[in-house]
Amino acid sequence: LSICSKLCYAIGGAPNQVAGSATAFFLQLYLLDVAHITPFHASLVLFAGKASGAVTDPVAGFFISKSRWTRIGRLMPWMLACTPFTILSYFFMWYLPHFVVGRLAWYVTFHCLFQALTTLFQVPYSALTMFLSTDQKDRDSATAYRMTIEVLGTLIGAALQGQIVASAHVSHHCTVDSPVNTTDSWHDISSIPDPSDILSHQVSAYGVIGGVYVLGIVILFLGVKEKDDPYALNSDRAIPFCKGLALTMKHGPYVKLTASFLLISTAVQLEQGNFVLFCINAAGLRSHFQYLVVTILVSAAVSIPFWQKFLQRFGKKCAACGISWMIPFAVMLVTIPNLILAYFVAFVSGLSIAASLLLPWSMLPDVVDNFRLQNPHGKGQETIFYSSYVFFTKISAGIGLGISAAGLGFSGYKPGICRQSDNVILTLKILIGAVPAILILMGLFIFLFYPITEQSRKETKLALEELR
């Protein structure tokens, strides 16, 4: 693969990350403190959106596996078709309607639509890795390019959305880094922002994000050539979806990889979803939260090439150790909230997040190759692997975020006040420190039993070349 092809492929995935990162970091805060819906309703919005995206994964995998080859490929038409609708659903998901009754239905509807549409893009886009080249090094390199550009896209999304949410949040009732709110009644504080004020900030930012979507899909379409299944003979028949799904669920390497990163990705989602709330309410960093988010993402972006070199030299299983780096630093931030320490923790967390993003997408092609070697006369299973992997990670993340939002509700979180109760602060510390640490350790323990090594990858590559 040429560098140009790898760059075009990588840029094509950036728009989803621009929008997705804004949602991951800021949607919970936006729903609670800007839209002013209750924590329980916010948990419904978060879980419903993730569940919608998760349900769409196998559905997308089924229909894509049934798609016929066209002049522009089998996967490309899906990505082209869903992009304009994704832009619209994203805008309305962040729009603050003038009515109060019915806001829950509004946000559930558009969050579900957004997650479903991004899934319809992400499944064929991620599966496209298998149709770029048959060479493992090319696919690994393309994945590293993709992760680097996607993290940069995540940075753009978090920066744009962070400014919007910050301008609405640090607003009419709280001084920056206000120490304590003297009243226990949040009803005494007028804090509902004017929708027209927020809309004026939104229009320019969403214009940029919409432009990124259009630019990304155009570059992907013009710069990437999708190849027909390079692994199959012309006489091979596609594996039926249900049979293929059953086979993937019995494939040992896939089950271990998915189970491991299901737990790890849930931990990362919990960190992302609650980090801003923790900075504002538990660490006294109200004026720094958007800059801390940017620090995390810059760290992740610049470290992707390092992790790519690391896994090439020491192997992919060894690179998983980097995911655990965030645990001790997150615990330190929870126990010793400090501005300098917060930026250091943000930097180290970015390194760990980069490893957790790169590794599963780099290892899934190895799993597909291993499966192909064991089932040499079937084809069309690539989208099944990718769609079911995203399905499980989204379901787990949706459950985790829903439970965390509900936990904030049970602990007494009150939108609009400058100082939350001690129970809320304790809950945020648990969601940032203890829970992600436990999930990451469990995921890494399962990962120890992942059977594909560097030696077995080379053997699989030689066997597939001989088979072809």
Side-chain angles (χ1 to χ4, degrees):
L1 283 175
S2 67
I3 293 177
C4 180
S5 295
K6 295 174 187 177
L7 277 174
C8 291
Y9 171 65
I11 291 171
N16 254 9
Q17 302 307 313
V18 171
S21 68
T23 305
F25 278 108
F26 298 112
L27 184 60
Q28 181 169 250
L29 175 67
Y30 181 88
L31 293 173
L32 292 172
D33 284 7
V34 178
H36 280 258
I37 66 175
T38 66
F40 177 72
H41 287 165
S43 70
L44 288 180
V45 173
L46 295 172
F47 176 75
K50 289 292 184 182
S52 171
V55 170
T56 309
D57 280 306
V59 175
F62 174 78
F63 284 108
I64 293 170
S65 66
K66 297 291 184 182
S67 300
R68 294 184 178 182
W69 182 264
T70 67
R71 288 183 178 181
I72 59 174
R74 185 163 59 94
L75 304 174
M76 193 67 72
W78 288 87
M79 294 181 274
L80 289 171
C82 67
T83 296
F85 301 102
T86 306
I87 297 172
L88 288 173
S89 64
Y90 180 78
F91 174 81
F92 286 114
M93 182 177 70
W94 293 96
Y95 179 72
L96 185 64
H98 289 269
F99 55 83
V100 176
V101 177
R103 276 189 185 177
L104 173 62
W106 176 278
Y107 289 115
V108 166
T109 300
F110 287 107
H111 190 213
C112 288
L113 277 174
F114 172 73
Q115 293 291 347
L117 288 165
T118 53
T119 296
L120 285 175
F121 181 94
Q122 194 65 29
V123 169
Y125 174 76
S126 55
L128 185 60
T129 310
M130 301 301 299
F131 300 98
L132 297 175
S133 172
T134 58
D135 186 80
Q136 290 178 349
K137 289 184 178 179
D138 270 347
R139 294 198 307 252
D140 288 347
S141 179
T143 300
Y145 273 80
R146 171 192 159 194
M147 289 296 108
T148 303
I149 298 296
E150 285 190 354
V151 173
L152 289 174
T154 301
L155 175 61
I156 295 171
L160 287 172
Q161 196 69 39
Q163 292 303 317
I164 293 173
V165 176
S167 65
H169 187 270
V170 182
S171 57
H172 312 86
H173 63 288
C174 287
T175 58
V176 177
D177 296 332
S178 174
V180 177
N181 182 20
T182 55
T183 177
D184 292 330
S185 175
W186 65 281
H187 296 285
D188 296 335
I189 303 169
S190 176
S191 59
I192 298 177
D194 184 354
S196 61
D197 291 343
I198 296 175
L199 183 59
S200 65
H201 288 70
Q202 288 176 324
V203 170
S204 58
Y206 295 151
V208 173
I209 291 175
V212 169
Y213 260 106
V214 174
L215 181 64
I217 194 66
V218 169
I219 291 175
L220 180 68
F221 176 71
L222 296 177
V224 175
K225 183 178 180 181
E226 179 185 345
K227 299 176 182 178
D228 201 359
D229 192 342
Y231 302 92
L233 299 169
N234 291 332
S235 59
D236 288 345
R237 295 182 177 180
I239 299 175
F241 181 82
C242 292
K243 181 181 178 182
L245 186 61
L247 289 173
T248 58
M249 292 301 102
K250 296 177 183 177
H251 190 58
Y254 180 71
V255 171
K256 292 180 177 68
L257 179 69
T258 302
S260 173
F261 280 94
L262 180 150
L263 295 170
I264 292 170
S265 65
T266 302
V268 172
Q269 288 281 334
L270 282 173
E271 288 275 358
Q272 286 183 328
N274 294 287
F275 184 76
V276 174
L277 284 172
F278 173 81
C279 289
I280 291 172
N281 296 296
L285 301 172
R286 183 181 298 273
S287 62
H288 293 271
F289 71 83
Q290 66 265 44
Y291 307 113
L292 288 167
V293 169
V294 169
T295 303
I296 292 173
L297 298 175
V298 169
S299 171
V302 299
S303 61
I304 290 283
F306 162 77
W307 286 118
Q308 176 65 12
K309 293 291 184 183
F310 186 95
L311 63 87
Q312 286 177 345
R313 182 166 183 178
F314 299 103
K316 297 180 181 180
K317 289 190 73 172
C318 290
C321 66
I323 299 173
S324 63
W325 290 357
M326 73 169 69
I327 295 176
F329 295 103
V331 172
M332 287 173 61
L333 180 62
V334 166
T335 54
I336 316 170
N338 177 274
L339 179 60
I340 297 175
L341 180 62
Y343 277 99
F344 186 63
V345 170
F347 176 78
V348 176
S349 296
L351 299 178
S352 297
I353 288 173
S356 69
L357 288 173
L358 178 63
L359 278 175
W361 295 113
S362 180
M363 300 173 90
L364 268 174
D366 302 335
V367 172
V368 176
D369 280 348
N370 184 273
F371 180 86
R372 163 65 73 182
L373 192 61
Q374 297 179 21
N375 300 271
H377 296 294
K379 63 179 181 179
Q381 80 286 345
E382 293 85 4
T383 53
I384 299 174
F385 274 99
Y386 282 87
S387 63
S388 54
Y389 172 78
V390 179
F391 168 80
F392 288 118
T393 53
K394 281 187 177 179
I395 279 289
S396 64
I399 292 173
L401 290 174
I403 291 175
S404 72
L408 290 174
F410 287 126
S411 64
Y413 185 92
K414 296 177 180 179
I417 67 172
C418 304
R419 177 70 165 83
Q420 298 290 340
S421 68
D422 291 339
N423 288 336
V424 172
I425 293 173
L426 177 62
T427 302
L428 285 170
K429 289 181 177 181
I430 292 172
L431 292 173
I432 284 291
V435 176
I438 293 170
L439 292 173
I440 289 173
L441 291 174
M442 290 171 61
L444 291 176
F445 177 75
I446 295 173
F447 191 69
L448 291 174
F449 301 97
Y450 176 72
I452 298 178
T453 62
E454 295 304 303
Q455 181 62 32
S456 66
R457 284 181 68 218
K458 294 177 182 177
E459 293 170 356
T460 299
K461 178 183 176 181
L462 292 173
L464 284 175
E465 287 176 353
E466 186 173 345
L467 179 66
R468 283 192 291 271

